[in-house]
């Protein structure tokens, strides 16, 4: 595996995962089984208010080719074919949705010791073209993320990001929404043995002149149990506990409360993932 600055999506990822990953406000159940031929079959259900959504997906790996097919309750069929390293450092991803004839897309990724490039384009006569690139090394990375609509000749997305990493600290700065929003994030490992870490993200919108600050922390109670907590500048506080009750099988319960309106009911989310 190539070590380097990674892809543009990796800028600020550690802080985002700490602050937002695994927090759920709905009820979700996922179970994965494997056939005798090695095909992974995953069924999942999501209860969102009074609405229930479900899907079934299969994954087949053959050498360096992975094929994923998912069918949802709306009879949409999502297909993704990933070719890992057809050449050193490259990854190719083909995806399309049936019956959407305009959903076809090709994505190319390239990882180098000093660069990371990701580009994708739709398989239509006037596709949306996405490009992101990062230059740097394991310590400092500078990148940009662009989307160009060939039908209108307009850049629909124009972002830029900077990241600094050390053995226990990761700081990043990103300019998004065509320069309208700036975000700064911070991730610090306090105690590696217990995976104790703190993180923060500050976002400022120039058009609305609003600031949003979110801070959070995580800690391992034991090798199988993780607790996380966060709070933002709008007074919303969240916490979760996740337990791996058997290898790769996770039970997560999380809650959120608005400290400025305690009389309102708290949101409780539950997620169960079962794997053999």
């Amino acid at each position: 595996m190539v070590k380097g600055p990674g892809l543009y999506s990796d800028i600020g990822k550690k802080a985002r995962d700490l602050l937002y990953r695994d927090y759920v406000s709905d009820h979700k159940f996922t179970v994965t089984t494997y056939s005798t031929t090695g095909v992974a079959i995953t069924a999942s259900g999501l209860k969102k208010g009074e609405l229930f959504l479900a899907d079934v997906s299969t994954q087949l790996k053959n050498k360096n080719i992975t094929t994923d097919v998912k069918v949802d309750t709306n009879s949409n069929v999502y297909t993704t074919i990933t070719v890992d390293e057809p050449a050193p450092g490259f990854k190719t991803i083909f995806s399309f949705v049936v019956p959407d004839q305009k959903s076809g897309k090709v994505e190319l990724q390239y990882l180098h010791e000093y660069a990371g490039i990701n580009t994708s384009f739709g398989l239509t006569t006037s596709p949306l073209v996405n490009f992101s690139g990062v230059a740097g090394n394991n310590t400092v990375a500078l990148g940009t993320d662009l989307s160009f609509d060939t039908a209108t000749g307009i850049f629909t997305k124009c972002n830029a990001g900077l990241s600094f990493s050390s053995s226990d600290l990761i700081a990043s700065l990103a300019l998004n929404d065509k320069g309208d929003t700036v975000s700064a994030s911070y991730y610090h490992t306090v105690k590696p043995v217990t995976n104790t870490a703190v993180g923060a993200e500050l976002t400022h919108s120039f058009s609305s002149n609003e600031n949003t600050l979110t801070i959070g922390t995580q800690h391992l109670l034991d090798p199988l149990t993780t607790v996380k907590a966060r709070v933002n500048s709008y007074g919303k506080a969240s916490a979760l506990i996740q337990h791996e009750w058997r290898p790769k099988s996770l039970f997560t319960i999380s809650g959120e409360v608005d400290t400025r309106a305690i009389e309102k009911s708290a949101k409780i989310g539950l997620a169960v993932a079962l794997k053999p």
Side-chain angles (χ1 to χ4, degrees), residues 175-249:
L175 191 62
N176 301 318
D177 303 324
K178 298 182 180 180
D180 181 65
T181 305
V182 60
S183 298
S185 66
Y186 166 84
Y187 177 91
H188 178 62
T189 302
V190 178
K191 193 174 182 180
V193 176
T194 58
N195 198 27
T196 304
V198 295
E201 182 184 60
L202 176 64
T203 301
H204 174 75
S205 173
F206 294 102
S207 58
S208 62
N209 198 31
E210 291 184 355
N211 296 315
T212 302
L213 175 64
T214 305
I215 59 175
T217 185
Q218 69 179 22
H219 175 72
L220 282 180
L221 292 178
D222 57 56
L224 301 177
T225 308
T226 300
V227 292
K228 296 174 65 175
R230 71 180 182 194
V231 63
N232 65 21
S233 53
Y234 293 100
K236 291 187 177 181
S238 306
L240 72 80
I241 181 168
Q242 184 177 80
H243 180 68
E244 187 177 11
W245 56 280
R246 57 176 295 177
K248 300 180 181 180
S249 295

Side-chain angles (χ1 to χ4, degrees), residues 104-123:
K105 185 175 72 172
V106 177
E107 182 177 350
L108 302 174
Q109 295 180 4
Y110 175 65
L111 292 175
H112 184 269
E113 186 178 0
Y114 300 109
I117 297 173
N118 185 71
T119 183
S120 66
F121 52 90
L123 300 178

